[in-house]
Amino acid sequence: MTINTEPAAGTRNTLHINMGPQHPSTHGVLRLELELDGELVVSCKPVIGYLHTGIEKSGESMTYHQAVTLTDRMDYLNPLGNNLAYALAIEKLFDCEIPPRAQVARVLLAELTRINSHLVWLGTSALDLGANSVFLYTFREREVLLDLFEEMSGARMMTSFIRPGGLAGDLTPEWLAKVRDFLNALPSRIDDYEALLTDNPLFKERTIGIGVLKAEDALALGVSGPILRASGVPHDLRKANPYSSYERFTFEVPTATNGDCYDRYRVRVAELRESVKLCHQALDMLPDGPVRTADRKVMPPTRAELQHSMEALIHHFKLYTEGLRPPPGEAYVGVESPRGELGFYIVSDGSGKAMRWHQRAPSFANLQVISLIAPGGLVADVIAIIASLDPILGEVDR
């Protein structure tokens, strides 16, 4: 921490200070270089790179199947959504067809994961501003979701359940019934969250007019997701470029106009309600049939086939030792993650490993706006702004 003790004539005496990288309100290992004039923020510069994950280079050293586990850990609040984006890119290289049941099930899993992510965001951002009860309530619902994911896959968070070619396994009727029970209970719980926050004068004072992002600035900086929609731009890849059968679903794209922390809150709460509707539709339209493609260049044989077929065993062995071998080419697929456009760019040279493995991560683009919207506010406002941007540093430091 340094102080300019001898300012030039006509200039301000400002304080330069670090917030982080271990600050409790940074939602990850993030460092902010702040220049302060008293309590007012003169400039705010995000400094990234403290995680050193190296996920992209690691992906290029693994087979296509092995790299699925990396996608879970990139945005640890959207693991199934990351799986989906990666699987769609691989499937685009192979030009393989995914069964209808797997497509609809993927929508269900992606929306349940969106609910999970927004619950964590809502609870932690409210906690940052002193609303402790909301954190306890949202994590109560999240625990139910994690239990469902564990029952489905054996893992609470890093499920790796959506894979190139379909799903790791089918969804049982008992599990689907538990999901419906959870969805039936959730709208009243969202009402409880809003009763605590939406008209709360303290919450509104901390968020209305704070961190205002104009639509033209958001577009110029490549912002996407709820942050962009809170600034009045109704862009959502599920509508603009549907994937995995989203074109069959009916839902609204919530937007707001002020682009401040409060509007970003309102948009995400509205998205929680829309995700509940999408999940109900997925449960209602989920067809019978397989959840794995018949293209044996992509999906290995099932465990049942291995019990009685030597050819299936050999095929399984070759796919897992040599890896998938998509034809030479490149593919990019973007999906709407809870934070915005998440895209995977994969370049294949025909071998069992990707020649280039790259992500378009929404948090990386969204985080830069803090340099634009934090100056002019108070230090306390920086906490609210970071929370409203919902950055995940795992997908920033790739």
Side-chain angles (χ1 to χ4, degrees):
M1 180 174 65
T2 59
I3 301 177
N4 298 330
T5 56
E6 297 181 1
T11 62
R12 289 178 293 184
N13 190 17
T14 57
L15 174 71
H16 294 260
I17 191 170
N18 287 317
M19 179 184 288
Q22 277 79 41
H23 192 278
S25 296
T26 52
H27 293 246
V29 190
L30 171 69
R31 172 183 165 213
L32 296 177
E33 291 184 5
L34 297 177
E35 182 182 359
L36 305 178
D37 181 8
E39 283 289 311
L40 290 175
V41 177
V42 177
S43 67
C44 176
K45 176 184 176 183
V47 182
I48 63 176
Y50 289 93
L51 288 183
H52 308 291
T53 60
I55 284 178
E56 290 186 351
K57 294 307 293 183
S58 296
E60 294 168 10
S61 66
M62 296 180 172
T63 66
Y64 290 98
H65 270 139
Q66 291 170 336
V68 172
T69 60
L70 293 179
T71 65
D72 287 301
R73 289 152 177 82
M74 189 180 72
D75 177 354
Y76 44 82
L77 294 181
N78 185 44
L80 286 161
N82 300 341
N83 295 165
L84 177 57
Y86 175 67
L88 289 172
I90 304 303
E91 291 156 7
K92 187 174 182 180
L93 285 171
F94 277 104
D95 193 25
C96 69
E97 186 174 345
I98 305 302
R101 182 175 176 85
Q103 291 198 31
V104 176
R106 284 176 167 187
V107 171
L108 173 64
L109 295 177
E111 293 306 317
L112 288 174
T113 307
R114 192 183 315 278
I115 293 171
N116 166 58
S117 179
H118 282 355
L119 286 175
V120 174
W121 167 81
L122 181 57
T124 55
S125 60
L127 186 65
D128 288 344
L129 301 181
N132 297 357
S133 298
V134 181
F135 176 82
L136 299 175
Y137 295 161
T138 57
F139 269 63
R140 175 189 59 192
E141 275 67 78
R142 183 180 184 243
E143 279 300 305
V144 178
L145 267 178
L146 294 184
D147 288 343
L148 287 169
F149 292 149
E150 183 178 18
E151 182 179 339
M152 172 189 75
S153 66
R156 285 165 61 83
M157 290 180 64
M158 314 305 177
T159 63
S160 298
F161 199 75
I162 298 177
R163 303 179 184 180
L167 303 179
D170 204 350
L171 305 177
T172 66
E174 296 79 12
W175 186 84
L176 293 171
K178 292 179 181 179
V179 170
R180 193 180 291 276
D181 290 340
F182 169 77
L183 294 171
N184 288 336
L186 190 57
S188 64
R189 304 295 174 83
I190 299 174
D191 292 341
D192 293 340
Y193 312 152
E194 289 212 75
L196 288 168
L197 293 178
T198 302
D199 292 322
N200 185 309
L202 295 176
F203 182 76
K204 293 172 74 173
E205 186 176 352
R206 291 295 307 274
T207 56
I208 292 179
I210 305 300
V212 175
L213 178 65
K214 298 179 181 178
E216 55 269 26
D217 293 329
L219 292 170
L221 292 172
V223 171
S224 58
I227 303 174
L228 178 65
R229 294 190 283 273
S231 296
V233 182
H235 178 72
D236 187 314
L237 286 176
R238 295 172 295 175
K239 287 278 192 182
N241 189 21
Y243 52 90
S244 193
S245 77
Y246 267 108
E247 66 279 0
R248 299 173 55 193
F249 290 77
T250 302
F251 63 100
E252 301 296 325
V253 178
T255 60
T257 56
N258 297 324
D260 56 11
C261 293
Y262 187 70
D263 274 3
R264 292 191 275 273
Y265 155 78
R266 290 174 54 222
V267 165
R268 288 192 179 97
V269 170
E271 286 188 3
L272 277 172
R273 299 186 186 278
E274 292 301 317
S275 289
V276 171
K277 297 176 185 177
L278 283 164
C279 289
H280 275 300
Q281 292 178 56
L283 290 172
D284 293 339
M285 70 171 64
L286 187 66
D288 294 329
V291 293
R292 300 153 70 97
T293 182
D295 189 340
R296 289 309 186 195
K297 296 178 182 178
V298 183
M299 182 62 79
T302 63
R303 184 179 294 272
E305 292 177 82
L306 301 182
Q307 303 297 323
H308 58 79
S309 172
M310 178 58 71
E311 290 77 12
L313 185 62
I314 294 171
H315 182 202
H316 180 277
F317 178 80
K318 288 181 67 66
L319 275 184
Y320 276 103
T321 55
E322 300 175 4
L324 306 179
R325 293 179 177 271
E330 59 183 19
Y332 174 84
V333 176
V335 305
E336 188 68 32
S337 93
R339 271 151 285 284
E341 181 176 349
L342 167 68
F344 273 83
Y345 174 67
I346 307 293
V347 179
S348 168
D349 58 3
S351 70
K353 299 177 182 178
M355 188 171 73
R356 184 71 176 98
W357 203 85
H358 173 67
Q359 298 90 41
R360 191 278 178 197
S363 290
F364 184 80
N366 294 348
L367 185 59
Q368 64 185 324
V369 306
I370 195 170
S371 296
L372 178 66
I373 63 179
L378 300 173
V379 176
D381 296 337
V382 177
I383 306 302
I385 290 170
I386 295 172
S388 74
L389 296 181
D390 191 20
I392 294 294
L393 275 297
E395 67 175 14
V396 173
D397 297 342
R398 303 184 312 282

